[in-house]
Amino acid sequence: MKNFRLFPKEDGYIPHLWLVYFYYSCLNLIHLEGFSFWFTLLILAAVFMSYREIFWRPERTFVVSMIMTLLISSLVFLVSVSYFYLLLYAMSMLYGLKKPREFWLGYAAINSVTVGLLFIDIFGPFELVWGYILPGILIGLITPAIWKIQDRWYRKWESVNKELNEANQRVEELIKERERDRIARDLHDTVGQTLSTISVKSDISKKLLYKNQEKAKQELHDIQLLARNLLQEMREIVSDLRLVSLQEEVKAARQRLNEAGIVLKLEQQTDLVKDSSKETMLGYIIKEAVTNVIRHSGAAMCKIRVSATENEIELEVVDNGSFKSTAWQEGNGMNGIRKRVMLMKGSVEFKASQSGGFHMTVVIPMQTEGEVIHDTYAVGG
């Protein structure tokens, strides 16, 4: 045989506390006798069973609350007005109603008892003591409406919070995608270029191994340094701490161009470039542009010009090689440059130079509306 329980275990002690109103109602039975006593006892038992039923069958909340309202109304009008406070049980059930129509029907049914009392007081043979029942009437009129308004605002804010959470999730996904794009560009700009240089130097070392061992030894030494620098760059990419010095990048570009037999003509004015994110971006753009000159131009000369004013920064990279604009297509490197420039609200142009070579012009505003300093794209590459 299963153990009998008044209320479900998961509801705790709260349902038992509400039974205190039944205690005071049962005390009134002492003053009754005959039919009134048995009628009241029967109605109280039915109200108690209805109250208990709502915890075991929540889906019957509306029906049970209506039954309780009718039962308690019969006590109020046929036995004593003091049983008016039992309507608190029916009112408490209204809070569990999710459908607005059911809630307002229940609200109207409960407060119809108050309307009935008003008619009795005005047209009936006896007067009611309103000072005694007025608090209960106010509770009956105000409390359910306050509950509903509170629940409505709660659901509204719950919906807003849900939308915010979804928006935050979308932002997180965009940040992840953006970070993947940044890392991909970093790998292309640093690792890919360095590995290309290592590959070229390895071929040179192989050819010089039996012809000029000293030169081959120097090339192998350079490969070792490049490999070490590459390892350091990889660590910095992962930790997202790498900032590029424009002066260092120009110096590295000169060395790479000299090794490829290309003369560098440099014009730079970098004193006004105070933003480290813009300096980093310009450094990466120079690195990518120089890589493009070395790999594809066949040029003997490359010119790099950096100028800055209070309003904008301008970068030009020009070579005297061959550039066919009709057959040219942007690769990953040039596409990466375009994305970096767009991030900084700037403009970039790729065209043929007067000498027939490649001419790249980048213009970046010194300050942009809504700019975030040290943006991940710019700083991290």
Side-chain angles (χ1 to χ4, degrees), residues 35-98:
F35 175 78
S36 296
F37 173 84
W38 293 107
F39 177 77
T40 303
L41 181 62
L42 180 63
I43 295 297
L44 288 178
V47 170
F48 173 79
M49 294 304 296
S50 300
Y51 173 67
R52 180 175 179 269
E53 179 71 8
I54 199 65
F55 289 96
W56 292 103
R57 301 288 188 273
E59 67 277 6
R60 301 178 181 177
T61 298
F62 177 70
V63 175
V64 173
S65 65
M66 293 298 95
I67 292 174
M68 288 185 69
T69 301
L70 290 173
L71 292 172
I72 297 167
S73 298
S74 65
L75 288 178
V76 171
F77 292 110
L78 300 178
V79 181
S80 173
V81 178
S82 61
Y83 290 107
F84 182 89
Y85 288 96
L86 286 178
L87 287 173
L88 288 172
Y89 288 102
M91 283 187 286
S92 67
M93 292 180 182
L94 293 181
Y95 190 71
L97 297 175
K98 303 302 181 183

Side-chain angles (χ1 to χ4, degrees), residues 255-274:
Q255 182 178 350
R256 292 174 60 207
L257 288 168
N258 287 340
E259 290 175 355
I262 301 174
V263 177
L264 173 64
K265 293 184 178 181
L266 179 63
E267 298 179 14
Q268 60 175 333
Q269 180 189 357
T270 59
D271 295 340
L272 294 178
V273 184
K274 304 296 184 181

Side-chain angles (χ1 to χ4, degrees), residues 214-347:
E214 289 298 322
K215 182 65 176 175
K217 184 177 179 181
Q218 180 61 42
E219 292 293 337
L220 291 172
H221 178 69
D222 292 344
I223 291 173
Q224 185 181 32
L225 291 178
L226 286 171
R228 289 177 179 174
N229 291 335
L230 178 60
L231 178 61
Q232 180 63 28
E233 287 179 343
M234 283 293 295
R235 290 171 177 168
E236 291 172 346
I237 289 173
V238 172
S239 62
D240 195 24
L241 296 175
R242 189 158 71 90
L243 293 175
V244 174
S245 167
L246 190 56
Q247 295 292 343
E248 291 178 359
E249 197 57 54
V250 169
K251 182 178 179 181
R254 181 187 296 277
Q255 182 178 350
R256 292 174 60 207
L257 288 168
N258 287 340
E259 290 175 355
I262 301 174
V263 177
L264 173 64
K265 293 184 178 181
L266 179 63
E267 298 179 14
Q268 60 175 333
Q269 180 189 357
T270 59
D271 295 340
L272 294 178
V273 184
K274 304 296 184 181
D275 190 335
S276 59
S277 65
K278 290 184 173 63
E279 185 177 4
T280 296
M281 189 195 69
L282 288 171
Y284 278 112
I285 291 175
I286 289 174
K287 176 183 285 188
E288 183 58 51
V290 168
T291 299
N292 184 68
V293 170
I294 294 174
R295 289 181 181 177
H296 308 297
S297 70
M301 182 276 296
C302 176
K303 176 183 176 181
I304 298 177
R305 185 179 70 85
V306 182
S307 61
T309 66
E310 294 182 356
N311 299 322
E312 63 183 23
I313 307 169
E314 184 175 352
L315 167 66
E316 281 188 304
V317 178
V318 186
D319 66 60
N320 62 352
S322 58
F323 177 75
K324 297 180 180 180
S325 57
T326 56
W328 182 73
Q329 292 182 348
E330 289 187 16
N332 289 334
M334 297 297 103
N335 186 49
I337 290 177
R338 189 178 295 279
K339 286 184 177 180
R340 295 176 195 279
V341 175
M342 288 176 61
L343 179 70
M344 289 296 184
K345 313 297 182 185
S347 62

